[in-house]
Amino acid sequence: MTSTRRHILQAGLFGGLGNLLSSSHAQTTTVPAKRVRGIVFMVSDGMSHGVLPLTEALSQQTRKRSTRWWELLQSPGSVQGLMDTASANSLVTDSAAASSAWGGGQRVPNGQINVTDKGRKLEPIGVTLRAKKCRLGLVTTATVTHATPAGFAAVTPNRDDEQSIASQYLDRAEIVLGGGSQFFDPAQRKDKSDLFADFAKAGYEILRTRDQLLAARSPRLLGTFTSGHLPYSVDHSNDESLAKMVPTLSEMTDAALKRFLTGDAPFLLQVEGARIDHAAHANDVAGLLGDQLAFDDAIATVLATLAGRDDVLVVITSDHGNSNPGLNGMGSSYGRTNQHFSRIAGIKASHERIFAEWNAKKGGTAELTALVQERLGFKPTDSEAATLLDTMSGKPVPEWNHLLANPPGILGQIAGNHTGIGWTGTVHTADMTLITAVGPQAERFHGLVRNDSVHGKLLEMLLS
Ligand SMILES: [Zn+2]
């Protein structure tokens, strides 16, 4: 693979600046592009632009240091671009269509994995790579069969058919790590097939706990550490049993990348921080920023592992915006903004966990106020608690933004009164997403990049 680069000969050879700027003295030469042995494609799912500065501020507040993505934005060695994210049927994509654009090379309708609007099946990149002896890895905090990993290795008109997606991974993806054991379990599958046994027969080491992952020795791994999605980081770090059983995204990424760096085969490793998207749907700022910090830890692990190498490209991006969180200026001259923001660090549970706890015990406004105060660290007003109780009881509440007229939207707004965080809705948005690329041929991701052009770039680099 070669690329054409314009080299302007030194001014001294031609005796002056005028000559330097003259196109007649510019010489075009062809230089070989740096070889790409492997690509780590990192996706912070549903990460709107506003998430990055909020995560940086939280990291500075709680860890007294910068995030790695923030540092990369200031690094002269990294390339920045913007992803144009639409799908075949909408200006707003879902993760199925977005990952199909990357993994299949064409925009498809939302809800479908590598199946076009005409019903044509696209070959997922995992199949193309497999035929060329290139290894594929899928690491995620969602079920491993969720839309973003599936777009690289599966074909189905229905993204929710995770049982079918699970069986398609066999021999296509050599490392599969995340949640979703239910889709491999014969007792829970409609066809009763034992996918754990099938994968084990094909040489995969089957992992169900963090300790098993850390002790694993095989080159091929199938690790499913929960029945559904992995827990949010804010819940993971506040629950000893979860922390013991479930690895972090960084630990899973480390296990996958080290295996791919062994030997000479080319590889594509997708790493997804999946629940940034889920937290945005839930208008849950602690869930969102906790998982974005965990995603950033995975970036740090990748960059540390690749230090000193020049043959692995790292691409960091998102598939779409979601609910576009932002920090509002609070108080006179916005002087209370920082105080509001600092309360996020005191939140001890995701909204998902708060709703689950409430549904398990229920009660009146006094009990709800106590639960919110204990988990979120601030006391809701009487009217906030009453409105939240009404919406959770299915009663209509005064809310002109219909996207927010539901328990997540109301709890998100109540939390926003105390933290300063506002949300546009509880759904995906059409925003362009940020791309940061570092490593060989990173310049391919400079500027505006259509999501369906990524597939060709990945294949050109890995198969040339
Ligand atoms: Zn989503």
Side-chain angles (χ1 to χ4, degrees):
M1 185 67 209
T2 60
S3 70
T4 302
R5 185 178 296 167
R6 174 161 286 191
H7 290 271
I8 300 175
L9 296 177
Q10 287 185 350
L13 289 175
F14 295 94
L17 185 62
N19 281 335
L20 172 66
L21 297 176
S22 163
S23 61
S24 65
H25 290 286
Q27 181 183 355
T28 299
T29 58
T30 301
V31 296
K34 280 190 185 152
R35 190 179 77 91
V36 176
R37 152 80 197 289
I39 299 172
V40 184
F41 193 84
M42 305 187 73
V43 183
S44 172
D45 201 289
M47 194 201 83
S48 302
H49 282 275
V51 175
L52 214 53
L54 296 178
T55 309
E56 174 65 16
L58 185 65
S59 181
Q60 293 289 1
Q61 181 195 332
T62 60
R63 315 196 300 183
K64 309 293 180 216
R65 61 182 160 89
S66 196
T67 57
R68 289 299 280 126
W69 199 344
W70 198 259
E71 288 172 350
L72 281 177
L73 290 175
Q74 302 163 70
S75 163
S78 73
V79 169
Q80 316 306 329
L82 291 169
M83 187 83 72
D84 171 2
T85 63
S87 73
N89 74 306
S90 175
L91 290 168
V92 176
T93 190
D94 75 346
S95 293
S99 188
S100 297
W102 294 335
Q106 196 173 318
R107 286 180 171 170
V108 305
N110 292 340
Q112 303 188 178
I113 307 277
N114 289 316
V115 177
T116 71
D117 50 357
K118 306 270 189 306
R120 191 166 63 85
K121 293 178 176 173
L122 305 174
E123 180 174 277
I125 194 166
V127 173
T128 316
L129 293 176
R130 177 82 190 142
K132 304 283 187 182
K133 306 223 176 317
C134 179
R135 303 168 76 190
L136 175 69
L138 302 172
V139 172
T140 180
T141 52
T143 56
V144 293
T145 43
H146 214 240
T148 301
F152 278 28
V155 181
T156 170
N158 175 14
R159 62 175 282 175
D160 294 329
D161 189 0
E162 295 188 64
Q163 296 190 1
S164 160
I165 292 167
S167 49
Q168 293 181 55
Y169 285 170
L170 184 64
D171 283 331
R172 282 186 191 170
E174 295 201 15
I175 296 180
V176 180
L177 299 172
S181 59
Q182 61 183 300
F183 303 114
F184 298 81
D185 178 0
Q188 297 182 72
R189 285 180 58 88
K190 274 181 282 179
D191 62 6
K192 302 294 175 201
S193 61
D194 185 351
L195 291 197
F196 288 125
D198 293 345
F199 276 71
K201 244 180 267 165
Y204 289 78
E205 192 167 345
I206 308 300
L207 313 169
R208 303 298 296 274
T209 68
R210 175 176 181 268
D211 284 346
Q212 289 173 351
L213 174 70
L214 298 180
R217 290 288 169 265
S218 305
R220 294 180 136 200
L221 303 176
L222 171 62
T224 50
F225 305 100
T226 48
S227 175
H229 303 314
L230 300 192
Y232 286 110
S233 292
V234 65
D235 295 330
H236 187 258
S237 57
N238 282 296
D239 184 323
E240 262 180 42
S241 64
L242 282 178
K244 188 166 163 37
M245 291 298 290
V246 179
T248 63
L249 182 62
S250 182
E251 289 169 338
M252 295 190 294
T253 302
D254 185 55
L257 183 56
K258 283 191 171 143
R259 280 167 173 78
F260 285 149
L261 292 175
T262 305
D264 296 322
F267 68 87
L268 173 61
L269 171 60
Q270 185 201 85
V271 175
E272 186 200 21
R275 307 213 68 196
I276 291 123
D277 177 67
H278 301 171
H281 282 296
N283 285 190
D284 174 359
V285 69
L288 180 88
L289 300 186
D291 272 44
Q292 185 64 27
L293 279 175
F295 180 77
D296 200 78
D297 288 344
I299 296 174
T301 293
V302 167
L303 295 178
T305 304
L306 297 178
R309 300 185 70 110
D310 64 354
D311 58 350
V312 178
L313 172 68
V314 181
V315 180
I316 310 166
T317 190
S318 180
D319 50 356
H320 50 74
N322 188 338
S323 305
N324 296 17
L327 177 61
N328 294 304
M330 304 298 280
S332 170
S333 302
Y334 306 148
R336 298 176 71 81
T337 306
N338 296 9
Q339 181 192 13
H340 275 69
F341 181 80
S342 68
R343 292 177 180 144
I344 295 169
I347 296 175
K348 297 189 187 70
S350 67
H351 289 189
E352 177 182 85
R353 177 162 270 211
I354 291 170
F355 285 128
E357 287 183 18
W358 180 255
N359 287 331
K361 62 179 185 186
K362 294 218 164 73
T365 50
E367 288 79 12
L368 184 56
T369 298
L371 176 64
V372 170
Q373 188 169 10
E374 183 186 340
R375 295 303 188 205
L376 297 188
F378 45 79
K379 187 178 180 185
T381 65
D382 291 347
S383 60
E384 286 173 343
T387 302
L388 183 58
L389 189 62
D390 280 349
T391 189
M392 289 197 297
S393 309
K395 292 182 190 160
V397 292
E399 171 54 67
W400 284 101
N401 181 339
H402 295 175
L403 294 170
L404 297 175
N406 47 54
I410 297 297
L411 182 55
Q413 290 178 80
I414 290 170
N417 290 337
H418 298 264
T419 62
I421 301 297
W423 310 79
T424 57
T426 47
V427 294
H428 296 184
T429 59
D431 291 23
M432 292 183 288
T433 58
L434 184 62
I435 312 169
T436 296
V438 58
Q441 302 192 37
E443 63 276 8
R444 287 175 179 271
F445 292 90
H446 172 75
L448 187 59
V449 176
R450 265 181 68 115
N451 53 2
D452 55 354
S453 73
V454 169
H455 175 262
K457 296 178 198 293
L458 298 178
L459 286 180
E460 277 178 29
M461 287 185 280
L462 288 169
L463 300 184
S464 62

